């Protein structure tokens, strides 16, 4: 077994933040981006952990995200919409900036929305729905991606993998959280099959002629398919409408036109909807949080799982014992810190 | 070919409304319930057309809906939540009562919610999202149902078929609208297979032991499955949380406990979220309605279909030429009108 190093979450945060500072990100960008990467690594969600640092740096190096952006909070008196302009920076510091105002309005009005514009979207949505649940709020978060998914019945990439995430707060335990692509698979999973020389499961993708394929190369040249047939296709379309067009930001085909590649983080906007269960349930019988626990018990009681449980178990372990990295991972972090953007080919 | 009768939409509305009046519904209940039934028949959506009258009457006869309920609008100054208490009546008149206030708040605040409590849910959600699009608003509507669907990985009915509907307004043409069950199939489709002695497609249902089944009887004794595996299961759970628990109304298992049957219309609440694209897009480049048209063209341009198009085509035909009913259907309506609740066994 190879040598490993155990870091506290704080130590890992410092290390990742230092890499981004070295690469030219200002403090708000580096801190926020590092936090979501460390959250991924902490939760043993390796696909959203330190593995992602290079992609973020590649986007910086390509000039497709502003490393020194300072997000701007745009508040309109008497509106349920809180807007943050990311000023061409990453979505993460913009989200952090907007959350307090969003939470305040959701508590006051019952429902409110946070719109992030002109951002480079980075990584998963679950850190964002979890940030809402920490405020005692339920939340829905969605955003477009790049055009890689064909609408059901079509044969060309148009929709993005358009993630859709939801969170519900729970007292004394981790929240109910899901976060998934509205495509059958993530694009990275197809790439992994290609590298491993493995065939894709049926139903994941079509080739450039619109025929079903299990060949990863043909799939990458063709299009991915939405999850759940026409229903997933419709949800993916809804994400383009609400979290692209409605908020005045790019749709998935527009993102792909703008970037010309799917190897950089996408530039677009994001829609976050926050609900105050307390405000909604006011005057009605029953405590919504206690009632939700009964539902979760009924799900778990019949042998089904709540989403994100593997992540939460890993989190508890990381919080207690630290995050374990391999010697190769530590070496990789050291190299990124030493070279900054020069580490990117 | 059998004899048919063509009725104008107005004439059909009068006839259906008269049936409900005869059965003891007051004017607001009868008018609103008849409108959604006639909308279904007009759109050649036979499963939600006059076929549904008996189910509504059966629910009245069972005493599970108040035929003389007068819904009550509950407005809280400075809230984005509009509440309507259906007072034990059908959801439809409560929805009609709440829409003007919902639209006004959504326009002013950007996003707003309508909560319907203590209602008997009746029929499809698309008439409701369409009512929002007629106001220039986008909308999401969801509600629980009865416990008939097992969460993914489970083996017992717990979630409902929990419909999820969305609408986006289009200028000069029918809106973009979808409305689907978050189960693979609707319960009625399994019942239709049973009556026809046909096997179910794979993946629709499990038997009482949790094993996959294609036998409709075994499926009805077991559980239906969510669409799209764990993702659809998660969305179905979200519907229970937001549109059942959060709004202080019954969840799908609670509805089934309360009714003791799936043959009556479910008693619970409903959540409607309205978005003002104009408010969200304010200050951003591009007209959201024009940009949405480009997305729809790209979908249709590659041979994919927009949802609800068959309904809209039928609607155009009904509006131009009237609604065509068979002699048996006319006879059925006459019988329901003559007998009122006595027509229900």
């Amino acid at each position: 077994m190879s040598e490993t190093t155990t870091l506290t979450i704080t130590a890992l945060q410092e290390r990742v933040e230092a890499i981004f500072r070295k690469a030219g990100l200002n403090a708000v960008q580096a801190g926020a981006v590092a936090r979501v990467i460390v959250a991924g690594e902490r939760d043993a969600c390796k696909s959203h952990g330190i593995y992602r640092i290079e992609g973020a740096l590649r986007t910086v190096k390509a000039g497709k995200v502003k490393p020194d952006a300072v997000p701007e909070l745009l508040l309109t008196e008497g509106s349920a919409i809180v807007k943050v302009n990311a000023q061409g920076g990453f979505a993460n510091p913009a989200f952090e900036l907007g959350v307090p105002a969003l939470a305040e309005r959701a508590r006051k009005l019952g429902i409110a929305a946070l719109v992030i514009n002109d951002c480079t979207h980075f990584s998963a949505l679950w850190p964002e729905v979890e940030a809402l649940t920490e405020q005692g709020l339920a939340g829905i978060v969605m955003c477009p991606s790049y055009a890689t998914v064909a609408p059901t019945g079509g044969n060309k990439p148009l929709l993005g993998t358009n993630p859709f995430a939801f969170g519900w707060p729970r007292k004394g335990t981790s929240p109910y959280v899901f976060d998934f692509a509205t495509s059958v698979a993530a694009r990275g999973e197809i790439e992994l099959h290609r590298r491993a020389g493995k065939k894709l499961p049926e139903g994941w993708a079509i080739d450039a002629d619109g025929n079903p394929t299990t060949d990863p190369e043909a799939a990458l040249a063709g299009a991915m398919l939405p999850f759940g047939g026409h229903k997933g296709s419709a949800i993916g379309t809804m994400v383009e409408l609400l979290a692209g067009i409605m908020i005045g930001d790019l749709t998935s085909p527009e993102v792909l036109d703008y970037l010309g590649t799917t190897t950089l983080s996408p530039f677009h906007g994001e829609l976050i909807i926050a609900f105050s269960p307390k405000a909604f349930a006011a005057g009605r019988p029953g405590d919504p949080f206690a009632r939700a626990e009964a539902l979760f018990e009924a799900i778990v009681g019949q042998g089904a799982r709540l989403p994100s449980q593997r992540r939460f178990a890993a989190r508890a372990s990381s919080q207690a014992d630290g995050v374990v990295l391999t010697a190769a991972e530590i070496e990789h972090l050291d190299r990124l810190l030493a070279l900054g953007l020069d580490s990117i080919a």
Side-chain angles (χ1 to χ4, degrees), chain A residues 63-136:
Chain A
K64 294 298 187 186
V65 61
K66 291 216 180 83
D68 57 349
V70 178
E72 188 188 2
L73 184 64
L74 304 162
L75 291 177
T76 305
E77 194 58 46
S79 172
I81 308 172
V82 171
K83 289 190 179 188
V84 177
N85 193 301
Q87 304 285 1
F90 284 103
N92 319 82
F95 176 79
E96 290 184 358
L97 178 66
V99 162
L102 172 66
E104 182 263 326
R105 297 208 176 187
R107 278 193 204 100
K108 187 178 154 205
L109 300 168
I111 183 171
L114 169 61
V115 169
I116 302 176
N117 284 124
D118 295 343
C119 68
T120 287
H121 175 67
F122 187 68
S123 215
L125 297 180
W126 54 259
E128 303 190 354
V129 291
E130 290 189 19
L132 299 181
T133 62
E134 282 165 20
Q135 302 273 347

Side-chain angles (χ1 to χ4, degrees), chain A residues 18-328:
Chain A
I19 292 170
F20 284 115
R21 292 292 278 150
K22 167 78 179 216
L25 273 66
N26 65 15
V28 285
Q29 299 290 326
V33 171
R35 269 186 283 283
V36 299
I37 286 175
V38 171
E41 197 65 36
R42 173 200 69 197
D43 287 7
C45 182
K46 297 298 277 188
S47 62
H48 289 79
I50 56 172
Y51 157 81
R52 289 271 179 162
I53 298 174
E54 275 191 86
L57 295 181
R58 196 180 307 118
T59 310
V60 174
K61 190 161 184 174
K64 294 298 187 186
V65 61
K66 291 216 180 83
D68 57 349
V70 178
E72 188 188 2
L73 184 64
L74 304 162
L75 291 177
T76 305
E77 194 58 46
S79 172
I81 308 172
V82 171
K83 289 190 179 188
V84 177
N85 193 301
Q87 304 285 1
F90 284 103
N92 319 82
F95 176 79
E96 290 184 358
L97 178 66
V99 162
L102 172 66
E104 182 263 326
R105 297 208 176 187
R107 278 193 204 100
K108 187 178 154 205
L109 300 168
I111 183 171
L114 169 61
V115 169
I116 302 176
N117 284 124
D118 295 343
C119 68
T120 287
H121 175 67
F122 187 68
S123 215
L125 297 180
W126 54 259
E128 303 190 354
V129 291
E130 290 189 19
L132 299 181
T133 62
E134 282 165 20
Q135 302 273 347
L137 303 170
I140 291 175
V141 184
M142 58 182 108
C143 66
S145 180
Y146 335 84
T148 54
V149 176
T152 296
N155 53 17
K156 290 185 191 70
L158 177 71
L159 308 173
T161 50
N162 296 5
F164 184 88
F166 170 75
W168 175 271
R170 301 178 68 187
K171 287 172 183 162
T173 186
S174 302
Y176 177 88
V177 170
F178 68 76
D179 172 8
F180 55 69
T182 52
S183 48
V184 175
R187 196 167 167 86
E189 293 177 79
I190 296 186
E191 180 58 30
L192 288 177
H193 277 77
R194 189 190 66 79
R195 288 191 203 170
K198 280 163 62 179
K199 279 193 180 304
L200 303 175
E202 309 228 343
W204 278 26
I206 51 178
D207 65 19
D209 299 321
N211 299 314
T213 185
T214 58
D215 171 20
E217 294 276 7
L220 289 168
M224 295 195 282
L225 291 172
F227 91 98
H230 73 280
K231 296 180 181 182
S233 185
I235 293 177
T237 305
M238 176 187 81
V239 174
E240 300 287 342
L241 289 166
L242 293 182
I245 289 168
M246 184 176 79
I247 65 167
D249 233 307
L250 301 186
T251 59
S252 296
E254 291 168 342
V255 172
L256 191 55
D257 280 352
Y258 169 75
L259 288 182
T261 172
T262 61
T263 62
L264 302 174
S265 299
F267 184 77
H268 50 55
E270 200 179 316
L271 176 64
I272 296 107
I273 305 169
F275 306 83
S276 163
K278 204 178 150 194
F280 273 91
R284 298 289 305 170
D287 169 44
F289 301 109
R291 293 182 64 213
E293 292 308 311
L295 180 70
F296 299 140
E297 274 167 35
I299 292 173
V300 173
Q302 63 171 273
R305 292 197 319 183
L306 299 180
S308 306
Q309 294 304 306
R310 205 160 43 184
R311 247 182 350 91
F312 295 140
R315 182 181 306 181
S317 157
S318 296
Q319 282 166 338
D321 306 322
V323 181
V324 180
L325 297 181
T326 63

